[in-house]
Amino acid sequence: MALDALFKPFEFKSLKLPNRVVMAPMTRSFSPGGVATDDVAAYYARRAAAQVGLIVTEGTGVARDASLNDANIPRFHGEKELAAWKKVVDEVHAVGGLIAPQLWHVGSAKGKDVLGKIDSPSGVSKAGGAPFTEPMTDAEIADTIAAFATAAADAKRLGFDAIELHGAHGYLIDQFFWNGTNLRGDAYGGPGIAERSAFAAEILKAVRAAVGPDYPVIIRLSQWKQQDYAVKNAETPQLLEAWLQPLADAGADIFHCSQRRFWEPEFEGSDLNFAGWTKKLTGAPTITVGSVGLSGEFIAAFGGEGSQPASIDGLLERLDRGEFDLVGVGRALLQDPEWVVKIRDGREDELQSFSREALGVLY
């Protein structure tokens, strides 16, 4: 039956997952001073114990002053910070789980804190916006690339099973992809998406050199931005290939393809979603994500909209026919750590509705 596809093991390089469920990264501002707490470790271990195949952590900042815009989001550099992440890894592994950190730089995306000089490709935070900071220099770009590589090496050293780069949602890497925020005329900019992929490709090359050939490297991408939900980096399959192929060539193993609603087709004339097109064009494994198991999409949740449990039959049909390889589950797992085992055991009547209050607690 189609449900079997969700619980089939997945292997790629050194990554050996018991099933196809990935806990999607979700920002959790519960790390005072940027140091993950015992409660954070327990939060991830609870879901690992309940059969999540792979946990991708909340975004965690690389070693640039303004990589984060909230002082309570965890950092991925510094002795205390990395020791805290080691505890997270050990607790997840102790219950048989697998885990990858999401390495993050917010760039010029606004937040509640300003933690240093803001990094930005062109000094703007959205298309048509007024410049409010200086564009990154070549030296700052090189330092940022090195910071991602160092973080990746630290992740491998700490025992993480893979890493994910956050290249989506209008944050720094995506700001280089987007022609609305990348107005550069040098090697990191240009009129085409292939040229604007150079920054991400250089990060991937540096990360690959730091972790070796067999360590899994995931990159999360999106067409939509927090600054503009309708914008696309690639309006056609041809442009999508021009965007993705340099990333695959540079060392990306798995593409985590973020949509607000996974069931929406990416281009006219095909039912394939973003992850489906990405797999078709690159041949690489893909993760689909976007309102899996819930009736409402996540942006609306921040405005207070709740979501009810929703059928995953359509998702399972797509997975079974190989449109994508893995399934990212976000809010459903945030609300209910046992979502996976309830699905596996046919206990749909026990699935929980999602409410905004879940965003404000850690359990």
Side-chain angles (χ1 to χ4, degrees):
M1 63 179 187
L3 188 60
D4 293 342
L6 194 64
F7 292 94
K8 186 191 311 183
F10 173 83
E11 293 191 11
F12 187 85
K13 292 190 174 180
S14 61
L15 195 63
K16 295 176 172 58
L17 307 184
N19 59 49
R20 303 305 177 102
V21 180
V22 176
M23 180 175 174
M26 290 171 284
T27 301
R28 313 296 283 142
S29 299
F30 290 100
S31 298
V35 181
T37 65
D38 290 351
D39 287 341
V40 170
Y43 162 79
Y44 289 121
R46 196 171 296 120
R47 286 149 180 85
Q51 304 304 304
V52 173
L54 173 67
I55 289 169
V56 180
T57 74
E58 63 209 286
T60 177
V62 299
R64 289 285 296 172
D65 287 346
S67 66
L68 299 175
N69 54 17
D70 180 337
N72 293 322
I73 291 174
R75 294 189 295 266
F76 208 80
H77 57 96
E79 186 175 345
K80 289 188 301 183
E81 292 86 346
L82 294 179
W85 279 118
K86 174 62 173 168
K87 180 176 176 62
V88 173
V89 173
D90 290 347
E91 293 202 12
V92 166
H93 285 171
V95 295
L98 299 169
I99 187 167
Q102 187 191 64
L103 305 178
W104 194 18
H105 192 318
V106 302
S108 60
K110 303 293 180 64
K112 72 175 191 175
D113 299 313
V114 178
L115 302 176
K117 180 188 178 297
I118 293 172
D119 290 330
S120 167
S122 302
V124 300
S125 63
K126 61 182 180 180
F132 70 98
T133 188
E134 292 297 314
M136 293 173 76
T137 65
D138 288 350
E140 289 168 338
I141 288 174
D143 188 65
T144 302
I145 292 168
F148 275 101
T150 298
D154 283 335
K156 183 178 181 181
R157 176 177 58 82
L158 293 173
F160 280 95
D161 302 286
I163 61 140
E164 176 170 290
L165 304 176
H166 196 337
H169 304 161
Y171 295 111
L172 183 65
I173 293 174
D174 197 22
Q175 288 162 20
F176 274 85
F177 292 143
W178 185 18
N179 61 7
T181 47
N182 185 347
L183 311 176
R184 303 176 73 94
D186 62 4
Y188 294 101
I193 184 61
E195 292 93 336
R196 297 193 304 275
S197 294
F199 178 64
E202 290 301 315
I203 291 173
L204 282 160
K205 290 174 186 175
V207 163
R208 177 58 67 203
V211 299
D214 296 324
Y215 192 74
V217 175
I218 307 166
I219 185 166
R220 195 177 211 208
L221 302 174
S222 69
Q223 295 265 37
W224 68 271
K225 326 292 175 200
Q226 59 185 296
Q227 301 95 325
D228 185 340
Y229 299 148
V231 74
K232 288 190 171 188
N233 290 330
E235 294 279 359
T236 66
Q238 293 75 22
L239 288 173
L240 185 62
E241 186 171 18
W243 175 20
L244 300 177
Q245 195 58 53
L247 308 182
D249 293 343
D253 289 316
I254 299 172
F255 290 95
H256 191 171
C257 302
S258 177
Q259 293 180 263
R260 294 169 65 196
R261 306 169 186 88
F262 79 85
W263 56 87
E264 293 182 343
E266 191 57 40
F267 302 114
E268 288 186 17
S270 169
D271 290 334
L272 289 177
N273 71 1
F274 185 28
W277 270 106
T278 297
K279 182 176 181 179
K280 178 179 180 178
L281 292 171
T282 67
T286 60
I287 307 169
T288 196
V289 68
S291 303
V292 170
L294 291 172
S295 61
E297 58 91 32
F298 79 100
I299 294 293
F302 290 93
E305 181 180 305
S307 296
Q308 311 308 311
S311 170
I312 61 168
D313 288 350
L315 173 87
L316 296 176
E317 290 170 8
R318 289 169 178 255
L319 181 64
D320 194 38
R321 65 177 179 249
E323 183 174 334
F324 38 75
D325 303 273
L326 299 160
V327 175
V329 182
R331 288 169 299 132
L333 272 172
L334 189 152
Q335 179 78 46
D336 184 359
E338 297 194 345
W339 186 87
V340 177
V341 293
K342 289 177 180 178
I343 292 291
R344 182 196 65 190
D345 297 342
R347 294 155 53 198
E348 286 84 359
D349 58 325
E350 297 179 30
L351 295 174
Q352 298 180 25
S353 299
F354 176 82
S355 66
R356 182 181 179 180
E357 286 71 29
L359 297 171
V361 294
L362 193 70
Y363 60 84

